[in-house]
Amino acid sequence: MLARAWLWALLSLYSQLATCHEPAEGDRALSSILNSRINGSELVGVRRGEGHVPAGHTLRSLLQTGSSRRLLQTPGAAVPFPPLKVMGDGKPCILFRARRIALRYQNNSLVDLTQRAFSPDSPVDTRGSVCYKDKAQLVLKFGDVEDLRALSIRLQMSSKFYESAGQSWFSLDRVSLHYNWSEEARFNVTEVYAPATSSYHCQHVSNLPRYSPLLVASGSTDPARLWSLTFTDFQLQAFNVFSGKFSSPADCATFLTPAVLMGLISSLILLLVLAYALHMVVHLRHVDDYDHKTTVYFPRAPDSDTASADKSSP
């Protein structure tokens, strides 16, 4: 028993000493890593004897090796780009943002225009965009993208006052692609509208069938039928822009989606069946009680009573 106690004490002391010294070794290794010179993804010039870090290892492997006891960095979600602003008379008049802009021609490879549209390092050319009281147009000029020459996307918007609603509403009327200097693909836009004092938001604005398409080719022979265009996490505001920030959004998501509507109908049918079943159960109990408590009397005929009396008299 005494030997076991001494062994347990020695193990506990060793683990405490190891816990105390390991962070210091990790700090020296980390400081030597950060003070070293990084060439691409390789680390060069790390002191081998002091930092215990072999040269030639990548930064990822070094951070993973020997960082099992502390959290060096926490990967976070990708931060969306700030909204694109179009200036008019020295102040923003159009705000536009999308988490992704995807473009494809027939079966060709997908072209992602997000970085080109919203990157602060190389802002997209918006010359040609206009802002009026009841009309607005956003022009995004991307230049040459892969095999496309002079690619640009244009969004045409309008604002109209409705007396029945007592306020103005703005709508996105058309989205068009211009490419190869003279070719154009035009999409008519359906159900993209919001109060003029609000912004419009939708998870997907696309012509793909799986997204309940809001973009429709303007004609059966229009080149837009050969293109697929998708804006993900789409938000737009073209009128009454204040302080360069989006107003409260009017979302395209509706409450009565097909799934919700089918759920409501199914619930109504089940409630009707349940109500009918309860009614039948109550009715059966009532009939049962009536059968047990009711006594039925059959009146005697007067002729039969007289005949029986005559027979009994001598």
Side-chain angles (χ1 to χ4, degrees):
M1 292 294 295
L2 185 59
R4 290 183 181 180
W6 276 105
L7 181 59
W8 179 259
L10 289 174
L11 289 175
S12 301
L13 181 60
Y14 178 79
S15 61
Q16 291 178 3
L17 290 174
T19 305
C20 294
H21 286 289
E22 281 177 0
E25 293 289 335
D27 291 341
R28 287 198 299 270
L30 184 59
S31 61
S32 63
I33 292 171
L34 297 178
N35 291 330
S36 63
R37 186 177 297 176
I38 299 177
N39 182 11
S41 62
E42 302 288 330
L43 293 179
V44 181
V46 180
R47 290 176 293 179
R48 299 183 181 180
E50 298 177 5
H52 303 285
V53 180
H57 282 216
T58 61
L59 180 61
R60 183 185 299 270
S61 63
L62 287 173
L63 292 180
Q64 290 177 349
T65 305
S67 62
S68 59
R69 296 178 181 84
R70 61 173 60 192
L71 185 62
L72 293 179
Q73 63 180 27
T74 303
V79 179
F81 291 107
L84 183 66
K85 300 178 183 179
V86 174
M87 307 300 292
D89 297 332
K91 58 182 180 180
C93 61
I94 298 178
L95 296 178
F96 171 60
R97 178 170 58 192
R99 188 173 294 274
R100 190 185 187 196
I101 304 177
L103 182 66
R104 186 197 299 270
Y105 180 75
Q106 289 186 332
N107 296 325
N108 294 343
S109 59
L110 187 71
V111 178
D112 193 339
L113 300 173
T114 313
Q115 187 78 17
R116 295 173 180 265
F118 301 105
S119 176
D121 300 330
S122 56
V124 67
D125 186 2
T126 59
R127 287 177 298 179
S129 302
V130 293
C131 301
Y132 298 114
K133 183 178 180 180
D134 57 350
K135 296 286 184 180
Q137 179 177 252
L138 174 62
V139 180
L140 306 174
K141 297 181 180 180
F142 299 100
D144 297 341
V145 179
E146 296 187 0
D147 296 334
L148 301 173
R149 299 292 178 263
L151 175 65
S152 65
I153 298 178
R154 299 183 182 183
L155 289 77
Q156 298 178 7
M157 296 148 283
S158 62
S159 177
K160 185 178 180 180
F161 180 79
Y162 292 90
E163 294 183 358
S164 58
Q167 62 178 343
S168 297
W169 287 66
F170 87 92
S171 61
L172 177 62
D173 303 322
R174 176 174 292 178
V175 176
S176 57
L177 298 175
H178 295 258
Y179 54 99
N180 296 341
W181 294 286
S182 61
E183 299 185 46
E184 180 181 8
R186 294 175 294 179
F187 296 94
N188 293 330
V189 185
T190 60
E191 299 181 2
V192 177
Y193 52 81
T197 55
S198 303
S199 62
Y200 175 83
H201 176 267
C202 195
Q203 187 61 31
H204 293 100
V205 174
S206 173
N207 65 326
L208 296 178
R210 64 175 177 267
Y211 293 135
S212 299
L214 300 176
L215 305 180
V216 181
S218 60
S220 58
T221 59
D222 194 282
R225 299 176 64 88
L226 305 177
W227 289 88
S228 62
L229 176 62
T230 302
F231 299 92
T232 304
D233 200 5
F234 176 92
Q235 190 168 7
L236 176 68
Q237 184 172 356
F239 303 94
N240 298 317
V241 178
F242 302 104
S243 68
K245 297 181 179 179
F246 282 109
S247 301
S248 57
D251 203 279
C252 65
T254 58
F255 175 73
L256 289 178
T257 60
V260 173
L261 188 60
M262 289 300 298
L264 291 175
I265 294 175
S266 302
S267 300
L268 180 61
I269 293 174
L270 291 176
L271 287 175
L272 291 176
V273 171
L274 179 61
Y276 179 75
L278 290 175
H279 171 73
M280 294 300 296
V281 169
V282 172
H283 180 69
L284 289 174
R285 287 184 177 180
H286 179 71
V287 171
D288 186 60
D289 294 342
Y290 181 80
D291 291 339
H292 282 284
K293 294 182 180 180
T294 303
T295 304
V296 180
Y297 296 94
F298 296 97
R300 295 181 180 181
D303 296 337
S304 60
D305 295 342
T306 305
S308 59
D310 294 340
K311 289 181 180 179
S312 61
S313 59

